[in-house]
Amino acid sequence: MSQKIDATDVTEEEALNAVFFERADEFIKQANDFCRPPKGKKTDPAELRGQVSAAMLFGTARFNTWVAANTFQTAEEMREAKQQVTSYVLQQFQMMLEDNYDEYCEQFENYLRFRKNEDFHAHKHDKKDGHKH
């Protein structure tokens, strides 16, 4: 039996957290879509994931730089705050990375249970003349 949640029961912080995770989920969904090989193309899944990861890192760096730039009046003011801004962003990234890394270690079998199927499907057409490679 599910319980209906009254909107008045949700705090502003909870609502902001929900929006935060919805946005994050949309970015992850987009990245997952980019990780699907184009139809008819044989692509190494690990290589494709690495390319998507690098693009996301670049996009995140570019976007965070733009967000920071919008808080300054001049380029000089921005230059002077570089260490403070980059330290903050790197600290936030490190905390998020460590939290997610720890979670994946705890849930490794759960989160990667489909990996064997992916490897099988990625390499099932590699056989020629009945020999395994």
Side-chain angles (χ1 to χ4, degrees), residues 126-133:
D126 288 351
K127 297 178 194 173
K128 290 187 181 171
D129 302 323
H131 297 97
K132 283 187 171 182
H133 296 274

Side-chain angles (χ1 to χ4, degrees), residues 85-123:
V85 170
T86 57
S87 290
Y88 172 77
V89 172
L90 291 172
Q91 176 189 29
Q92 292 298 305
F93 180 77
Q94 183 170 359
M95 286 184 342
M96 291 175 191
L97 179 61
E98 288 177 0
D99 285 349
N100 282 281
Y101 201 95
D102 290 345
E103 181 182 341
Y104 261 77
C105 288
E106 291 171 17
Q107 296 291 327
F108 190 84
E109 294 300 324
N110 238 2
Y111 288 172
L112 297 176
R113 68 183 180 271
F114 299 111
R115 182 171 53 179
K116 290 176 186 160
N117 289 339
E118 176 189 274
D119 290 342
F120 171 76
H121 292 297
H123 300 292

Side-chain angles (χ1 to χ4, degrees), residues 2-65:
S2 67
Q3 230 180 3
K4 187 175 179 185
I5 298 175
D6 188 325
T8 58
D9 293 340
V10 177
T11 66
E12 185 177 351
E13 182 179 353
E14 290 169 331
L16 289 173
N17 280 338
V19 170
F20 171 87
F21 285 109
E22 285 172 16
R23 288 177 179 151
D25 287 345
E26 284 299 312
F27 288 124
I28 293 166
K29 181 180 178 286
Q30 183 70 50
N32 287 333
D33 289 346
F34 285 140
C35 286
R36 289 191 187 92
K39 287 188 178 185
K41 289 200 174 189
K42 199 173 187 181
T43 310
D44 176 15
E47 184 178 330
L48 194 51
R49 286 190 292 262
Q51 292 168 358
V52 172
S53 177
M56 280 187 77
L57 281 172
F58 179 83
T60 299
R62 186 73 177 182
F63 185 78
N64 279 290
T65 301

